Structures are given as C-alpha cells and as structure tokens.
Amino acid sequence: MKKSIFNIALASALLLFSGISANAQDKKDDLGRIAITAWVPDQIEGMPATAKNSLANKLTQVINSNGVAASSFNSRFVLTANVTVLTKDLTATAPPMQAYTLDVTLYIGDGFDGTLFASQSVQVKGVGQNETKAYMAALKNIKPTDPSLTAFVEKGKQKIIEYYNSKCDFIIKEANTLASQNKYEEAIFLLTSVPDACAQCYDKAIAAVGPMYQKMIDRDCKLKLAEANNIWAAGQSVESADQAGAILSSIEPQSSCYGEVKALSNKIAARVKEIDAREWKYILKDQEQKSEMIKAYRDVGVAYGNGQPKSVTYNVNGWW
C-alpha cells in the first residue's frame, strides 16, 4: 500500500513539474533553467593576473542578466572570453594616466566537446593610475544588458536547447547506464540538468528520475539501517542510541525498509526510557509532500554537482 501511495504522489509530482515547465519565465530560482559556467582561461595575452576575477565576475553578470542560471559547478556549457588590447596611451593630464581600449570577445559553447555556439565582441575603454587599474576600469564598462550581448546569449541558449533536444535519448540512456552501475546521484544529476525550456526532453528526463530516486533511497536505507543496528547492538547505551538515532533520522520515509527503521527507532526509544527515564530526542522523517519530493530530486543533483572538481580546463580550441 505504501508503494502505491508513493507512486501516486510521484505521478502528482511529475505533473507539478510539468506545470512548472509551462511557467519557466516566472521562476525565482535556478531550478530547470539553462545553466552556464563563467570561465576565464589561466592566461589571456596582456591581461594582468589581478584582472582575472574581474572578468569572471563580469561574465557571471552577463549570465545572470540574461535569463540564464550561473552554474555554481562545472556545467557542460561555458561562457568565456578573450581580450585584445587595441590601444594603450598616456593621457595629457597632470599627472598622466594610463588609457586602455580593449576588444573583449565573449564566447558560448560546449566546453566538453569544444563546439562553439556563439560569439560577440564589445569595445570598452578605461583610464587608471597604472596599467592594471586602466585595464580593470575598461572591463567594468562591459554592460551585461547591452543589446548585442543579450542577442548573443539568446543565440547561445537556443543552441543549448537544440543540444538537449537532439541528444535527449542519449542522455537518458547514459543516465540509465549510470544507475545500473549504482551511480544514482550522477544519473539524477545528469537528468535534472536538462532545462525545462527543452520541454520534450525535460519531461522524459524527469519521468526517468523517479525510479532512480527510489532505488537510491532504498540502497541508502539498507546501508544506514545496518550501520545504526551495529552501533546500537555494540553499545546499548544512551550515547550509542544518540549515534544510531542521528543515522535513522536521516533516512527517507519512502524507503522500502522504512518499516524496519521505525521498529528499531521504537526499540531504542523504549530502552532509553528504561535506562535514563527520559524521552528520546530523535524523530524520524515524516512522509514528504510533493514539493519536498521535487526539492529532493534537485538536491541530489546539486549535491553531486557541488562535489565535482572546482578546477576544470575546458576545451575551447579554435574559439579564438
């Protein structure tokens, strides 16, 4: 019966996901949005080292200002830039100042396979007391809402949507392969990375998440239950009860072994009351609401993504 209830709830959650898909433009967070990572190569000819963070921040502003999610982890799609110094002069002021004119070309593409989707150049000028300050002053003059940059990002977004729509079956097949290898978190990350702007692929991907999520929490339930049982069996004290309780209280209530979790929790609580004359403080999770299940899917993907290496060298060969 519990499985049936869960399946109904899961189906309802998927319908809710579809509803969210239809209202993508109204969303306040990054769930389901096209995600792009701002990335600056280690070396751009003539760029002061201290300007790297300034350029990365400016690229992130371009992403955020144009309806795209700035990925906190290394997404497949990247916004990067190359900078060329067009002019470098001394001003006729007292004291003289450095004046730079920069040609900044921005690129959006698939940083994994090296496919360039779109590019756009802007010229900016800056003045400063030294070369570095003049360079950084010029970068500050990149306007994230510049119409030419908005059109550039929109072109990149359309290419990303085309990528997902053309690769959808491959993405789901890859996720199924990962799940068959017990790599549920990576599989869920892959599927929940599909933006809801790619309607058909998004629906297919989300439909595939439910069974994988169920297998993942079933696996976790067995592992955590065994760990809690071992701790309790070895200790039989308030301290071991607390250690076991911390584990049990983290188990998802939709898990297949949740009945055994409740039985062990009740057993420990009764024993704690016998030996310590007090109520045990650990409380098991309640059944999740539909919105919580959706968040749970997303949290699995985000946690996996955040655990990936922070430093990745993308393939941008031939982009400039």
Side-chain angles (χ1 to χ4, degrees), residues 5 12 95 135 153 165 180 222 243 251 253-254 269 282 295 317:
I5 294 173
S12 299
Y135 195 104
V153 174
N165 286 337
S180 70
K222 291 177 182 177
Q243 292 175 2
I251 296 175
Q254 292 86 6
Y282 286 96
K295 184 176 182 301
N317 291 332

Side-chain angles (χ1 to χ4, degrees), residues 58-99:
K58 187 60 70 173
L59 296 180
T60 300
Q61 291 175 22
V62 172
I63 292 172
N64 287 330
S65 298
N66 289 281
V68 183
S71 176
S72 59
F73 40 82
N74 300 302
S75 77
R76 182 177 195 95
F77 305 106
V78 60
L79 171 62
T80 188
N82 188 39
V83 181
T84 301
V85 178
L86 297 179
T87 63
K88 185 170 63 173
D89 303 298
L90 278 177
T91 63
T93 57
M97 305 280 278
Q98 294 287 339

Side-chain angles (χ1 to χ4, degrees), residues 3 21 46 51 71 91 113 117 139 143 166 199 214 255 271 276-278 301:
K3 283 277 188 179
S21 176
S71 176
T91 63
D113 73 5
F117 292 159
L139 291 180
K143 305 298 182 186
S166 64
Q214 183 64 55
S255 308
R271 180 57 181 159
D276 200 43
R278 63 183 171 90

Side-chain angles (χ1 to χ4, degrees), residues 102-119:
L102 305 181
D103 181 84
V104 184
T105 305
L106 285 71
Y107 305 86
I108 292 176
D110 184 333
F112 288 179
D113 73 5
T115 301
L116 175 63
F117 292 159
S119 63

Side-chain angles (χ1 to χ4, degrees):
M1 176 62 76
K2 188 181 74 175
K3 283 277 188 179
S4 297
I5 294 173
F6 177 60
N7 288 336
I8 292 171
L10 184 57
S12 299
L14 297 182
L15 287 174
L16 181 56
F17 252 124
S18 297
I20 290 173
S21 176
N23 296 285
Q25 298 305 314
D26 297 331
K27 271 198 287 287
K28 301 300 183 185
D29 58 28
D30 288 343
L31 176 61
R33 293 170 62 191
I34 292 172
I36 298 179
T37 294
W39 179 70
V40 178
D42 287 336
Q43 289 187 334
I44 293 179
E45 187 174 357
M47 184 172 78
T50 51
K52 183 175 180 179
N53 286 339
S54 295
L55 181 55
N57 290 336
K58 187 60 70 173
L59 296 180
T60 300
Q61 291 175 22
V62 172
I63 292 172
N64 287 330
S65 298
N66 289 281
V68 183
S71 176
S72 59
F73 40 82
N74 300 302
S75 77
R76 182 177 195 95
F77 305 106
V78 60
L79 171 62
T80 188
N82 188 39
V83 181
T84 301
V85 178
L86 297 179
T87 63
K88 185 170 63 173
D89 303 298
L90 278 177
T91 63
T93 57
M97 305 280 278
Q98 294 287 339
Y100 268 53
T101 303
L102 305 181
D103 181 84
V104 184
T105 305
L106 285 71
Y107 305 86
I108 292 176
D110 184 333
F112 288 179
D113 73 5
T115 301
L116 175 63
F117 292 159
S119 63
Q120 180 64 41
S121 294
V122 294
Q123 287 189 12
V124 287
K125 296 182 178 182
V127 177
Q129 295 173 333
N130 54 47
E131 293 182 350
T132 297
K133 290 183 177 179
Y135 195 104
M136 294 176 68
L139 291 180
K140 287 182 180 177
N141 286 324
I142 298 173
K143 305 298 182 186
T145 55
D146 180 325
S148 69
L149 294 184
T150 298
F152 152 72
V153 174
E154 184 61 31
K155 183 178 179 181
K157 287 165 62 177
Q158 291 305 315
K159 291 290 185 180
I160 292 172
I161 290 172
E162 289 174 15
Y163 168 86
Y164 280 111
N165 286 337
S166 64
K167 301 285 186 181
C168 192
D169 290 343
F170 174 80
I171 292 169
I172 293 174
K173 183 178 180 181
E174 184 180 355
N176 283 325
T177 299
L178 290 169
S180 70
Q181 297 169 350
N182 211 27
K183 298 177 181 177
Y184 299 116
E185 291 85 352
E186 187 174 356
I188 292 172
F189 167 74
L190 184 62
L191 293 174
T192 55
S193 296
V194 176
D196 60 12
C198 314
Q200 290 185 343
C201 186
Y202 175 83
D203 290 343
K204 290 180 182 177
I206 293 303
V209 171
M212 292 179 189
Y213 181 75
Q214 183 64 55
K215 289 178 181 177
M216 185 193 75
I217 63 176
D218 287 350
R219 176 203 62 189
D220 290 350
C221 184
K222 291 177 182 177
L223 292 173
K224 290 180 177 178
L225 179 60
E227 184 181 3
N229 260 317
N230 289 337
I231 291 172
W232 176 241
Q236 298 284 315
S237 62
V238 173
E239 181 180 3
S240 61
D242 288 346
Q243 292 175 2
I247 296 170
L248 295 176
S249 62
S250 69
I251 296 175
E252 296 299 328
Q254 292 86 6
S255 308
S256 58
C257 68
Y258 203 64
E260 296 173 70
V261 172
K262 289 196 288 188
L264 177 59
S265 178
N266 292 337
K267 180 180 175 181
I268 294 174
R271 180 57 181 159
V272 167
K273 198 164 188 177
E274 284 181 7
I275 62 179
D276 200 43
R278 63 183 171 90
E279 297 294 330
W280 197 38
K281 64 182 179 181
Y282 286 96
I283 300 173
L284 299 180
K285 282 187 176 182
D286 292 327
Q287 291 290 317
E288 292 177 328
Q289 303 298 313
K290 286 181 289 187
S291 59
E292 293 172 334
M293 292 169 58
I294 294 169
K295 184 176 182 301
Y297 294 166
R298 176 178 180 259
D299 287 349
V300 171
V302 170
Y304 178 83
N306 285 336
Q308 298 311 294
K310 299 300 181 187
S311 179
V312 170
T313 298
Y314 284 103
N315 175 14
V316 296
N317 291 332
W319 289 19
W320 61 82

